[in-house]
C-alpha cells in the first residue's frame, strides 16, 4: 500500500515532530495564533503540501495542484484585501508555501496540515468576508484585523477544521501515524489558536487521545461564543460527524491495513486510538474490510447507537470513494482535497492518476467541467440520498463562498457531485445577500464542522442533519443554517445545548427562517436551470439538481466557500472573478481541493442519509418523500425548481401535516414538540421502510387527500372510460349530479349495456372522488340488481364485493337482500361447501327471519336435496331479485328433475305435469287456458331440445316416455353461447349500446 | 412481578444461557425443549422472564462469552420474546419469536443429525400458539389479525427444511400437522393440498414410519378435508385410521375424531350405538341417530335446527342434512312393513297419499307433487327399489329388497 509505505516513511519524521508538536505546535500555534489567521492560510497550504509530501504520490500531485493555485493568489489576495493586518497573514500564506515545506520538514506535517486547514478556513472566512462583505459576516465586518480575528474565531471552527485537517492527518496517518498524531495535535493547536475558545480544552483533550472528546467539548465552547460560529458549527456539526466517521473509517483502515503504524511514536498510537476510540471504530474494521458501499448500511445501524451520522458519512465517503473514485475521482479530489487525497493515497495506488485527471479537469475549461459534472451527476444519481444530503452541505458552502469560488467549486462539483453543489451554490448565489450571515457560518461550519461534530451532542447533530435534510434548495439550506446558528447559539448561551432534547426539537423554526431567505434566490435559480446544459434526468431525489449546473456557472457559487477561500484567493489573484469561465479555468486546480473537501462531505452525507435513516433519516425521508411527491405530480417538480418560496412553504406544510396524520411522526416543519417526541420511533419504523424507499415510498407518500378530485362536471350522462391517467375534475361529476345520474339510469328504458356503462362511469366518479356513503351503496346495489336482471354475473360479483366492504363499514343499504343474493349465489353457482357453511353460520338470527334470506335458505335446502318441486315453487315466489339468480340454475334443475323422473317413473309422465312442476311459463295455479298451453309448448320444446322422447297417449296428450328418455337425455349447448364465452361481446349488442 | 435483584437476574440469565449451550453441545433435546416451551409457563421460564425484565442488557451478557455469542442471535430474540411474553405484549413476543424461530431453523439446518427435532417441534408449536394469542390481542385492539398467517408461512419454511430426504424427514409430519391446524383455523384449507401432496406422493418415506401421534393427527385432518369434499368413503378410512391408532385414553382426541366419523358413518348407513355417543359425550348426535332409526323426519329436522350452529361450525351440517333421504327411506320401510301387516298382497304398492299422511303425522306438510318428487329422488338414488306410477300416484316397490341397505356405500348421487 502506498499509504503504508508512506506512513512508514513519514513515521520516522513524525515521531519527533509529534512530540514537538505538542510542545512546539501548541506554543507555535498559540504564539502564532494571531499569526495563524494570517499565516493560517499559509499553514493550510502547507498542510496541503504536507499531505502531499506525506502521501508522496497522490498527495503530491494533489497538493501540487492545490498549492499552486490557491496559495499564491488567494492567500495574498484575501489577506491583503480584507485586512491589512491579515495581509501579512495572507502574504504569509503565499510565503507559506515555501515556508510550509519547512514547517513540514521541521516537525509535523500534520500540524501543518491542520494549521493549513485552519488556514484554509481562515482563508475562507477571509475570502468570504472579502467577497461578501456586504453580506456582513458578523465577525468579519470588523475589518481586516477583525477578519483575521474573525477568521480566528471562525478559526476556532477552523480548529474544528483543524480537526478536518486532522482528518487529512488521520488519513495521512494511515500513511503516517505520526503525522496523524501531529494532525491531532495540530487540531488541538488550532483550537488553541482559537484562543478564547475552548481551544485550551482542545489542546488538553487532544493530548489525551480522543479527538472526538476534545471536539465535543471544544465545539460547544466555541460555538457559544460566536453565534455565527455556532451556526457554522451547527452546519458543520453534521459534516463533522461525517468527518469523524471518515476518521474512524480511516483509522479502521489504517489499523487494519497498517499495523506497522502502531510502531510509530506514542503519538501515533494516539492517532490510532482516536480512530478506535470513536464509537464507530468498532464498526470501522468491518467497513474497512469492505469498501464503502457495503459499509454504509451496517454502519448506520450501529452508528445509531452512538455516532450514527458520523459513521454513515464515513461509510458514504468510503463508499463514494470506492465507488466513485474511478468516475468521480477528479471530483472528489477537487471537493475534498485533503481527505480524498488521503483516501486515495492510502487505499488506491491510482491516486496519482486521479490527481492528474483532476488536474486536467480543473484546468479544463468549463465545458470539460460540465462534462465531468454530468458524469458525476450520474454517479450522484446512484446515490440519491447522498445527493440530497450533499445539498445541505453544498448549500452551506455555497452560501459561504458565493462569487469566485462558486465557479471553481462548480467545476469541482461537476466532477464529483457537482449537481448538489451546483444546486446549492445557485441558491447561495442568488441568495447571497440574504445569506451573508449564513455564508460566514458555512465556511466555519465546514472547517469547524469536522472537529465540532464530536463536541456537539449527537442529538444536536441529528437535529442539524434533519434540518438540512429538510432543505430542498440551497436557499432553504442557507436559511436553515442561519436559523440553526441562532438556535445553537442560543442553546449554547443558555447552556442548554447539551441538555436540550434535540431529537424532539421542532424543525419548524429552522425551516421557517429558511423560507424567507429562499425567496430571492428562486428566480435566479430558474434561469440557471434553463441554462444548465447537464440537466439531471432524474430530478426525483434532488429537485434542485437541475439548477446545479447553472450554479456552476453562476457567480454565486458559494458552495465553494470552504474551498472558497482558496477559490477566492485564486480569483482575486487572477482577478477573473467576473468571468466565471476564467475563474473556473484558473481556479480549476484549486477547486479541486475544495471539491475534495466538499466531496468528502457530500459523500459522507449521502451515506448518512441512506443508511442513517434514523437520526437524520427523518430529514432524508422528508426529502425523499417530497421528491417522490414531485414525481407523482409532475407539476410539482416544475414548481419546485421555479417555485416561489411561498409555494414551497405551503407544500412543505401540507406535507408535514400529512405525515402527522398518516404516520404520527413529527417531521413537519411546523410540528410541535410533543409530536416530535415520536421522532425516533418514527425513524426507527422508517428504517424498515428504507429498504423499499425508492419503490413503495412514493405510493405511501401519495397525498390522497390532495389528489382526490372534486368534480365539476354537470353532465348527467357520461360514458365509461377506463382511466389511463389522473382524473380531470372537469370530467368528473360531483355527488349531486351523480345522484341525478343514478336516477336517470334507474328510469332509463334503454338496455342493460347502456345502464351498465352509465353505472360504471358513476362508480368511477365515486371512486375518484372517494365518496363512500349511502349513495355509493345505492349505486352498487342498483348495478348489482341490473346485473342480476341481465344475468351478468361478473359485474354482479364486482358489485357484491364492493357492497360487502361498504356494509362492513356500516353504511346502510339493503343488507339482507344482498345477503340472500350472496347465499343464493354460493348455493347455486360456486358449489363450495365450505363457503356455504361459513356464510350460513355467519347469518344472524334476525337475518334468518328475513323473507329474502329465508327464501334463499329454502332454495339452498331444495337444491341440496334435489327437490325440484320445491325449487320451482320457490322460484315462483321469490322475493326481490332472487328469481334472477335462480334463473341461472333453472336449466340445470329442470334437467336434473327430468332425469330423476325418467329414471323413477313409469311408464309415462304427462308434459302438462312437467310443465307445471318445472315452472314453465304460465303454469301458475290459476293457470288460464292459453297460458297453460304456452307453458306446455315451451315445456315440450325444452324436452325435445334435451333429447326426451315425447309421445302422444291415448287421449292425444303429449307424454314423456320415461324409459326411452332415461337414456337419451342430454344437456344441449346453450343457444346463446358464443365462441369467446362472453355473450355481451356480441356485435349486435355492441351496436345497440349507443 | 416479584422483585428480582440485579445479581439474581444476572445469575438466572447466565444459568439459562449455560443450560442452553449445554443442551446444544450435548445434544440434549429434552432439555432444549424445556428451555424453549413458552406456553408451558414453567416456573423457571417465568423467573427467567422476570430476570430479563430486570436485567435489561442481556444481549451484552450473550456477547460477553464466546460460548453464548455463538447462538447470540437465537438467544437475543428468544430473550426479547420471553420478555414481551411475560409482560403480556403478545404481538411483540410473536415478532421476536418469529425471528428467533428463523434463527433457530437456520441453526437446525446446519445440524447434521436430527437430534433437535423435538426442540423444533416445540418451536413450531410455540410459534403457532403465540401467533394465535397475538392475533387475539390484535383483534381486541381493532387491528387485523395476521400473525397466524405469518406463522403459517414460517411453518411452511420449516416444512421445507424437513421435507427432503434424510433423518429429518421424520419431523415433516409434525410440521404438516401444525400447518393443518393453522390453515384450519385460518379457513384457508385449500393450502393444505400442497403439503398433503408432498407427504403422500413421496414414496421414499413410508407413511407408517412417521411417529404415531403425527399419523393420527394427519389422518384426522385429512379426514376432515374429505368430509368437506363429501368424499365419505375416503373420510371414513382416514378417520377410522385415526380412531384406531390414537391413544385410547385420550378421550378428547377420540371425541374430536368421532365428531366427524359419526356423520360419515351415518351417511354410509352405519349407525353407532348409543353407548358410544354417551361415552364420548356426543349428545348432539343422539337425536340424529334416533331419527335415522325411527325414520322420524321431524326429529332429524329438530336436531339439525337445535345444533345448527355447532354443526355449521364443525362443517357437518350439510352431511347431516343429507341424511334426510335415509330417513325417508326408513319411513317408507316402516309404511311398507305396516302395510304388509295389514294387507301383504298389496304391500308393495305405496300410495303417495299414504306417505303424505304419514308425513302429516310427523307435522310435515307436503302435497302430492312434493311427495312424488321425494319418491322420485329416493328411487333415483337407489334408496328405494321400484318405480313410480305417475298416473295412479303410487310407488310400486320391488318385491326383492325394496329398501336396499347402504352397507358402507355412499348414497349414489
Amino acid at each position: 500500500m502506498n499509504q503504508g509505505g508512506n506512513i512508514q516513511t513519514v513515521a520516522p519524521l513524525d515521531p519527533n515532530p509529534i512530540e514537538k508538536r505538542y510542545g512546539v505546535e501548541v506554543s507555535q500555534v498559540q504564539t502564532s495564533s494571531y499569526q495563524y489567521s494570517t499565516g493560517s492560510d499559509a499553514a493550510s497550504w502547507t498542510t496541503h503540501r504536507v499531505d502531499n509530501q506525506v502521501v508522496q504520490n497522490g498527495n503530491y500531485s494533489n497538493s501540487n495542484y492545490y498549492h499552486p493555485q490557491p496559495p499564491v493568489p488567494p492567500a495574498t489576495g484575501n489577506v491583503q484585501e480584507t485586512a491589512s493586518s491579515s495581509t501579512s497573514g495572507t502574504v504569509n500564506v503565499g510565503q507559506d508555501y515555501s515556508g510550509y515545506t519547512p514547517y513540514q520538514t521541521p516537525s509535523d506535517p500534520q500540524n501543518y496540515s491542520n494549521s493549513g486547514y485552519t488556514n484554509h478556513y481562515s482563508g475562507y472566512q477571509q475570502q468570504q468576508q472579502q467577497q461578501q462583505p456586504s453580506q456582513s459576516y458578523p465577525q468579519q465586518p470588523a475589518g481586516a484585523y477583525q477578519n483575521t480575528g474573525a477568521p480566528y474565531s471562525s478559526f476556532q471552527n477552523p480548529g474544528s477544521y483543524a480537526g478536518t485537517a486532522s482528518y487529512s492527518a488521520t488519513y495521512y496517518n494511515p500513511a503516517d501515524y505520526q503525522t496523524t498524531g501531529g494532525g491531532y495535535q495540530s487540531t488541538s493547536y488550532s483550537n488553541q489558536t482559537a484562543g478564547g475558545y475552548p481551544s485550551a480544552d482542545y489542546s488538553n483533550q487532544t493530548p489525551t487521545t480522543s479527538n472526538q472528546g476534545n471536539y465535543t467539548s471544544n465545539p460547544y465552547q466555541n460555538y457559544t461564543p460566536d453565534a455565527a460560529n455556532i451556526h457554522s458549527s451547527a452546519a458543520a456539526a453534521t459534516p463533522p460527524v461525517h468527518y469523524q466517521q471518515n476518521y474512524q473509517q480511516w483509522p479502521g483502515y489504517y489499523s487494519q491495513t497498517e499495523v506497522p503504524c502502531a510502531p510509530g511514536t506514542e503519538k501515533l498510537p494516539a492517532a490510532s486510538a482516536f480512530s478506535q476510540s470513536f464509537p464507530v471504530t468498532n464498526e470501522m474494521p468491518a467497513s474497512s474490510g469492505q469498501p464503502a458501499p457495503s459499509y454504509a448500511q451496517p454502519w448506520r445501524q450501529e452508528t445509531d447507537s452512538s455516532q450514527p451520522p458520523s459513521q454513515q458519512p464515513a461509510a458514504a465517503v468510503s463508499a463514494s470513494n470506492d465507488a466513485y473514485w474511478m468516475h468521480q475521482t477528479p471530483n472528489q479530489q477537487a471537493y475534498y482535497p485533503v481527505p480524498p487525497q488521503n483516501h486515495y493515497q492510502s487505499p488506491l495506488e491510482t491516486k496519482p492518476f486521479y490527481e492528474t485527471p483532476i488536474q486536467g479537469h480543473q484546468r479544463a475549461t468549463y465545458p470539460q467541467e460540465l462534462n465531468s459534472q454530468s458524469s458525476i451527476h450520474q454517479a450522484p444519481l446512484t446515490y440519491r440520498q447522498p445527493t440530497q444530503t450533499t445539498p445541505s452541505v453544498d448549500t452551506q458552502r455555497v452560501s459561504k463562498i458565493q462569487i469566485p469560488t462558486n465557479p471553481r467549486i462548480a467545476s469541482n462539483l461537476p466532477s464529483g457531485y457537482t449537481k448538489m453543489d451546483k444546486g446549492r451554490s445557485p441558491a447561495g448565489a442568488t441568495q447571497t445577500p440574504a445569506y451573508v450571515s449564513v455564508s460566514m457560518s458555512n465556511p466555519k461550519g465546514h472547517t469547524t464542522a469536522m472537529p465540532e461534530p464530536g463536541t456537539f451532542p449527537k442529538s444536536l447533530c441529528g437535529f442539524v442533519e434533519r434540518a438540512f435534510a429538510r432543505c430542498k434548495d440551497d436557499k432553504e439550506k442557507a436559511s436553515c443554517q442561519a436559523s440553526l446558528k441562532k438556535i445553537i447559539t442560543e442553546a449554547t448561551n443558555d447552556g442548554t445545548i447539551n441538555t436540550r432534547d434535540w431529537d424532539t426539537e421542532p424543525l419548524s423554526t429552522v425551516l421557517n427562517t429558511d423560507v424567507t431567505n429562499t425567496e430571492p434566490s428562486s428566480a435566479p435559480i430558474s434561469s440557471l436551470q434553463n441554462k444548465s446544459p447537464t440537466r439531471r434526468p432524474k430530478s426525483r431525489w434532488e429537485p434542485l439538481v437541475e439548477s446545479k449546473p447553472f450554479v456552476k456557472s453562476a457567480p454565486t457559487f458559494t458552495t465553494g466557500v470552504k474551498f472558497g477561500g482558496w477559490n477566492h484567493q485564486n480569483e482575486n489573484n487572477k482577478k477573473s472573478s467576473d468571468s466565471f469561465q476564467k475563474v473556473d479555468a484558473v481556479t480549476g486546480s484549486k477547486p479541486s481541493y475544495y471539491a475534495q473537501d466538499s466531496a468528502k462531505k457530500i459523500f459522507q452525507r449521502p451515506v448518512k442519509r441512506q443508511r442513517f435513516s434514523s437520526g437524520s433519516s427523518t430529514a432524508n425521508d422528508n426529502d425523499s418523500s417530497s421528491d417522490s411527491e414531485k414525481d407523482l405530480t409532475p407539476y410539482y417538480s416544475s414548481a419546485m425548481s421555479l417555485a416561489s418560496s411561498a409555494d414551497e412553504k405551503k407544500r412543505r406544510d401540507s406535507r408535514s401535516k400529512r405525515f402527522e396524520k398518516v404516520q404520527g411522526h413529527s417531521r413537519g416543519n411546523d410540528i410541535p414538540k410533543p409530536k416530535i417526541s415520536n421522532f425516533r420511533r418514527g425513524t426507527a419504523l422508517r428504517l424498515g421502510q428504507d429498504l423499499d424507499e425508492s419503490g413503495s415510498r412514493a405510493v405511501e407518500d401519495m397525498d390522497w387527500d390532495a389528489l382526490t378530485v372534486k368534480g365539476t362536471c354537470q353532465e348527467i350522462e357520461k360514458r365509461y372510460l377506463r382511466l389511463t391517467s389522473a382524473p380531470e375534475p372537469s370530467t368528473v361529476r360531483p355527488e349531486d349530479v351523480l345522484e341525478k345520474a343514478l336516477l336517470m339510469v334507474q328510469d332509463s328504458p334503454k338496455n342493460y349495456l347502456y345502464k351498465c356503462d352509465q353505472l360504471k362511469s358513476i362508480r368511477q366518479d365515486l371512486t375518484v372522488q372517494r365518496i363512500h356513503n349511502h349513495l355509493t351503496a345505492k349505486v352498487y346495489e342498483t348495478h348489482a340488481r341490473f346485473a342480476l336482471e341481465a344475468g351478468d354475473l361478473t359485474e354482479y360479483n364486482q358489485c357484491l364485493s364492493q357492497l360487502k366492504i361498504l356494509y362492513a363499514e356500516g353504511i346502510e343499504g339493503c343488507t339482507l337482500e344482498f345477503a340472500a343474493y350472496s347465499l343464493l349465489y354460493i348455493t347455486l353457482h360456486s358449489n363450495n361447501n365450505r363457503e356455504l357453511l361459513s356464510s350460513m353460520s355467519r347469518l344472524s338470527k334476525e337475518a334468518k327471519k328475513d323473507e329474502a334470506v329465508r327464501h334463499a335458505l329454502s332454495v339452498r335446502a331444495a337444491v341440496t336435496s334435489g327437490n325440484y318441486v320445491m325449487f320451482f315453487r320457490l322460484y315462483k315466489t321469490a322475493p326481490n331479485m332472487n328469481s334472477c339468480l335462480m334463473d341461472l340454475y333453472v336449466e340445470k334443475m329442470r334437467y336434473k328433475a327430468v332425469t330423476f323422473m325418467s329414471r323413477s317413473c313409469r311408464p309415462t309422465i304427462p308434459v302438462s305435469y312437467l310443465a307445471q312442476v318445472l315452472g314453465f311459463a304460465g303454469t301458475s295455479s290459476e293457470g288460464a287456458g292459453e297460458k297453460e298451453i304456452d307453458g306446455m309448448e315451451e315445456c315440450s320444446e325444452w324436452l325435445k331440445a334435451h333429447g326426451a322422447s315425447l309421445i302422444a297417449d291415448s287421449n292425444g296428450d303429449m307424454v314423456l316416455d320415461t324409459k326411452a328418455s332415461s337414456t337419451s337425455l342430454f344437456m344441449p349447448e346453450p343457444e346463446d353461447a358464443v365462441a369467446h364465452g362472453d355473450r355481451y361481446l356480441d356485435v349486435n349488442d355492441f351496436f345497440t349500446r349507443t | 412481578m416479584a422483585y428480582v435483584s440485579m445479581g439474581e437476574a444476572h445469575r438466572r440469565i447466565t444459568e439459562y444461557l449455560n443450560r442452553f449451550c449445554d443442551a446444544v453441545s450435548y445434544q440434549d433435546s429434552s432439555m432444549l425443549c424445556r428451555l424453549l416451551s413458552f406456553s408451558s409457563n414453567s416456573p423457571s421460564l417465568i423467573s427467567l422472564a422476570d430476570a430479563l425484565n430486570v436485567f435489561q442488557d442481556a444481549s451484552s451478557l450473550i456477547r460477553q462469552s464466546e460460548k453464548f455469542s455463538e447462538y447470540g442471535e437465537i438467544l437475543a430474540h428468544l430473550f426479547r420474546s420471553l420478555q414481551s411474553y411475560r409482560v403480556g405484549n403478545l404481538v411483540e413476543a410473536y415478532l421476536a419469536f418469529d425471528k428467533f424461530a428463523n434463527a433457530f431453523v437456520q441453526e437446525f439446518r446446519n445440524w447434521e443429525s436430527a437430534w433437535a427435532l423435538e426442540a423444533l417441534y416445540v418451536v413450531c408449536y410455540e410459534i403457532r400458539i403465540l401467533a394465535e394469542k397475538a392475533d387475539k390481542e390484535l383483534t381486541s385492539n381493532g387491528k387485523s389479525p395476521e400473525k397466524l398467517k405469518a406463522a403459517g408461512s414460517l411453518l411452511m419454511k420449516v416444512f421445507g427444511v424437513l421435507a427432503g430426504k434424510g433423518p429429518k424427514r421424520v419431523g415433516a409430519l409434525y410440521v404438516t400437522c401444525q400447518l393443518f391446524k393453522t390453515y384450519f383455523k385460518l379457513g384457508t384449507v385449500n393450502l393444505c393440498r400442497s403439503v398433503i401432496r408432498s407427504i403422500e406422493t413421496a414414496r421414499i418415506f413410508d407413511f407408517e414410519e412417521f411417529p404415531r401421534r403425527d399419523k393420527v393427527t394427519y389422518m384426522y385432518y385429512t379426514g376432515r378435508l374429505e368430509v368437506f369434499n363429501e368424499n365419505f368413503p375416503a373420510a371414513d378410512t382416514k378417520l377410522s385410521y385415526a380412531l384406531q391408532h390414537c391413544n385410547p385414553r385420550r378421550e378428547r382426541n377420540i371425541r374430536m375424531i368421532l365428531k366427524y366419523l359419526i356423520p360419515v358413518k351415518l351417511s354410509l348407513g352405519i349407525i353407532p350405538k348409543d353407548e358410544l355417543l354417551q361415552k364420548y359425550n356426543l349428545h348432539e348426535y343422539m337425536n340424529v341417530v334416533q331419527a335415522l332409526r325411527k325414520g322420524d323426519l321431524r326429529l332429524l329436522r329438530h336436531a339439525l335446527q337445535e345444533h345448527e350452529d355447532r354443526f355449521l361450525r364443525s362443517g357437518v351440517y350439510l352431511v347431516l342434512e343429507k341424511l334426510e333421504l335415509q330417513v325417508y327411506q326408513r319411513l317408507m320401510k316402516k309404511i311398507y312393513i305396516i302395510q304388509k301387516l295389514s294387507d301383504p298382497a298389496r304391500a308393495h304398492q305405496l300410495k303417495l297419499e299414504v306417505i303424505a299422511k304419514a308425513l302429516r303425522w310427523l307435522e310435515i306438510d307436503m302435497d302430492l307433487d312434493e311427495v312424488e318428487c321425494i319418491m322420485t329422488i329416493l328411487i333415483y338414488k337407489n334408496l328405494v327399489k321400484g318405480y313410480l306410477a305417475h298416473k295412479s300416484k303410487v310407488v310400486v316397490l320391488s318385491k326383492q329388497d325394496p329398501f336396499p341397505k347402504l352397507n358402507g356405500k355412499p348414497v349414489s348421487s
Side-chain angles (χ1 to χ4, degrees), chain A residues 105-149:
Chain A
T105 55
S107 61
D108 300 337
Q110 293 177 349
N111 295 331
Y112 283 104
S113 64
N114 294 330
S115 62
Y117 275 104
T118 55
N119 294 331
H120 285 291
Y121 290 115
S122 64
Y124 285 113
Q125 294 172 353
Q126 292 175 355
Q127 293 172 354
Q128 293 172 353
Q129 292 171 357
Q130 293 173 357
Q131 294 173 350
Q132 300 174 346
S134 62
Q135 294 175 352
S136 76
Y137 291 85
Q139 299 172 349
Q140 295 174 354
Y145 259 100
Q146 291 175 347
N147 289 337
T148 58

Side-chain angles (χ1 to χ4, degrees), chain A residues 832-834 836-843 845 848 857 860-862 864-870 873 896-897 899-910 913-914 916-917 953-955, chain B residues 184 187-189 224 227-230 308-309 311-318 321-322 324-325 366-370 372-381 386-391 393 413:
Chain A
N832 183 329
N833 281 339
R834 275 194 56 80
L836 182 57
L837 283 165
S838 67
S839 72
M840 279 174 73
S841 61
R842 258 184 271 122
L843 288 174
K845 285 231 172 99
K848 284 177 189 166
L857 285 171
R860 182 206 62 78
T864 45
S865 65
N867 191 332
Y868 50 87
V869 174
M870 175 75 79
R873 281 183 187 161
K896 218 185 225 179
T899 346
F900 284 179
M901 284 188 269
S902 55
R903 176 85 60 84
S904 310
C905 301
R906 290 291 181 275
T908 55
I909 303 170
Y913 173 77
L914 287 175
Q916 178 220 324
V917 169
D953 70 352
S954 51
N955 296 338
Chain B
F184 271 82
T188 54
V189 172
R224 280 186 64 181
V227 174
F228 282 135
N229 298 335
E230 301 193 352
E308 186 180 351
D309 282 346
F311 291 148
L312 281 175
R313 252 183 290 119
S314 63
V316 295
Y317 183 90
L318 297 179
E321 197 185 45
K322 286 212 161 79
E324 218 171 66
L325 288 179
M366 279 191 190
D367 65 11
L368 286 188
D369 280 349
E370 228 174 315
E372 186 179 338
C373 171
I374 299 292
M375 293 317 293
T376 314
I377 296 169
L378 283 175
I379 296 169
Y380 179 83
K381 305 237 178 197
Y387 67 90
L388 191 147
H390 172 76
K391 217 172 174 181
K393 302 288 179 193
S413 49

Side-chain angles (χ1 to χ4, degrees), chain A residues 331-553:
Chain A
N331 300 327
Q332 291 179 348
Q333 290 175 354
Y335 279 103
Y336 307 91
V338 179
Q341 290 175 353
N342 295 327
H343 289 291
Y344 288 109
Q345 293 170 352
S346 61
L348 301 176
E349 296 176 357
T350 57
K351 292 175 181 178
F353 296 97
Y354 283 104
E355 293 172 356
T356 55
I358 295 167
Q359 294 173 355
H361 287 290
Q362 293 172 351
R363 293 174 183 175
T365 56
Y366 264 96
Q368 291 177 350
E369 291 176 355
L370 294 174
N371 293 333
S372 64
Q373 290 176 354
S374 64
S375 65
I376 294 163
H377 287 294
Q378 294 174 349
L381 292 175
T382 57
Y383 295 120
R384 297 174 182 176
Q385 293 178 351
T387 54
Q388 294 176 352
T389 54
T390 46
S392 64
V393 177
D394 293 342
T395 54
Q396 295 174 355
R397 297 174 184 175
V398 174
S399 61
K400 296 172 182 179
I401 309 170
Q402 293 176 345
I403 304 166
T405 54
N406 293 332
R408 297 175 185 176
I409 294 166
S411 64
N412 294 329
L413 294 171
S415 62
Y417 298 82
T418 48
K419 291 181 179 180
M420 298 298 295
D421 295 342
K422 292 174 182 178
R424 296 161 187 173
S425 62
T430 54
Q431 300 171 349
T432 45
Y435 286 87
V436 175
S437 62
V438 176
S439 63
M440 285 299 290
S441 64
N442 290 333
K444 292 177 181 178
H446 285 291
T447 57
T448 55
M450 297 299 287
E452 288 173 353
T455 54
F456 283 107
K458 293 166 188 174
S459 60
L460 174 54
C461 297
F463 173 71
V464 173
E465 278 188 24
R466 255 177 281 133
F468 278 113
R470 277 273 174 97
C471 303
K472 301 164 188 171
D473 303 344
D474 299 345
K475 306 170 186 178
E476 290 182 12
K477 288 177 182 175
S479 61
C480 186
Q481 281 184 347
S483 55
L484 279 175
K485 262 190 198 175
K486 285 180 194 168
I487 293 169
I488 294 169
T489 39
E490 287 174 9
T492 43
N493 292 335
D494 296 346
T496 58
I497 194 162
N498 283 318
T499 58
R500 207 186 274 191
D501 185 2
W502 292 105
D503 289 333
T504 60
E505 193 74 12
L507 294 172
S508 56
T509 53
V510 179
L511 294 172
N512 290 336
T513 55
D514 292 351
V515 176
T516 55
N517 293 332
T518 51
E519 292 183 359
S521 63
S522 63
I525 292 172
S526 64
S527 64
L528 291 173
Q529 290 175 349
N530 294 330
K531 294 175 182 177
S532 66
T534 59
R535 270 202 186 180
R536 239 206 220 168
K538 303 173 186 178
S539 62
R540 175 175 199 169
W541 297 98
E542 255 198 326
L544 297 178
V545 173
E546 296 178 356
S547 63
K548 291 178 180 179
F550 299 104
V551 175
K552 296 175 183 178
S553 61

Side-chain angles (χ1 to χ4, degrees), chain B residues 28-76:
Chain B
D28 183 350
S29 193
S30 59
M31 170 61 83
L32 202 53
C33 287
R34 257 174 282 146
L35 293 173
L36 298 180
S37 67
F38 275 32
S39 55
S40 67
N41 280 324
S42 72
S44 54
L45 274 178
I46 290 174
S47 67
L48 172 67
D50 289 340
L52 284 170
N53 279 317
V54 171
F55 191 85
Q56 287 294 344
D57 197 17
S59 57
S60 71
L61 262 183
I62 298 171
R63 253 183 275 114
Q64 268 171 21
S65 158
E66 198 171 318
K67 193 170 75 170
F68 302 153
S69 59
E70 187 182 350
Y71 307 104
E73 201 188 345
I74 296 178
L75 288 166

Side-chain angles (χ1 to χ4, degrees), chain B residues 242-286:
Chain B
L243 185 67
Q244 282 163 23
H245 291 83
C246 79
N247 188 332
R249 274 170 299 181
R250 296 296 178 128
E251 293 207 356
R252 193 174 154 269
N253 287 349
I254 293 175
R255 186 171 182 272
M256 281 170 69
I257 296 168
L258 287 177
K259 256 168 98 173
Y260 292 93
L261 187 54
I262 287 173
V264 168
K265 288 279 191 192
L266 286 177
S267 24
L268 296 174
I270 299 162
I271 295 173
K273 288 179 183 163
D274 281 341
E275 296 94 89
L276 183 78
L277 301 179
Q278 295 283 2
K279 187 178 176 188
Y280 294 104
N281 199 24
L282 294 160
H283 295 292
E284 66 263 32
Y285 291 125
M286 290 287 210

Side-chain angles (χ1 to χ4, degrees), chain A residues 10 13-14 16-18 20-21 25 28 42-55 60 63 67 96-116 172 179:
Chain A
V10 178
L13 300 174
D14 292 342
N16 298 329
I18 295 167
K20 293 174 183 177
R21 292 170 190 169
E25 288 180 355
Q28 291 175 352
S44 65
W45 295 106
T46 55
T47 56
H48 283 293
R49 293 176 181 177
V50 174
D51 294 342
N52 293 329
Q53 292 174 351
V54 174
V55 180
Y60 268 109
S63 62
H67 292 293
D96 290 342
Y97 281 105
S98 61
Y100 278 104
T101 52
Y103 265 107
Q104 297 170 351
T105 55
S107 61
D108 300 337
Q110 293 177 349
N111 295 331
Y112 283 104
S113 64
N114 294 330
S115 62
Y172 292 111
T179 55

